Amino acid sequence: MPIAVDIDVMLAKRKMSVGELAERVGITPANLAVLKNGRAKAVRFSTLAALCEVLECQPGDLLRWETDRAVDPPVL
């Protein structure tokens, strides 16, 4: 999937556990694990906003785009 999730990075920076984040955001630890491990198909803006509020960060600190395709060499 071209969207990478960096919740682990922010958790480490904030010295916070997954359980504490889940509790403070109001989602189950299982649902947070699905999101954190990149297996989620979607995320609600309200959940993203709550994550950003608790972690004191921007959405771009949690989500980033990565290309799935290899870069083709230039055609000469």
Side-chain angles (χ1 to χ4, degrees):
M1 172 178 279
I3 301 297
V5 182
D6 290 329
I7 291 175
D8 283 339
V9 173
M10 292 307 297
L11 283 171
K13 286 182 179 179
R14 302 298 187 252
K15 297 182 177 146
M16 187 181 298
S17 70
V18 172
E20 180 183 354
L21 179 60
E23 184 177 324
R24 291 178 62 184
V25 169
I27 61 176
T28 67
N31 283 341
L32 181 56
V34 168
L35 178 59
K36 170 175 100 59
N37 295 322
R39 295 188 317 261
K41 299 289 184 199
V43 60
R44 292 180 182 189
F45 280 170
S46 59
T47 301
L48 183 58
L51 286 166
C52 290
E53 182 177 354
V54 170
L55 293 170
E56 298 178 353
C57 67
Q58 294 294 314
D61 296 325
L62 301 177
L63 304 173
R64 64 187 154 78
W65 180 81
E66 293 181 338
T67 183
D68 274 346
R69 59 187 169 87
V71 176
D72 294 329
V75 177
L76 301 176

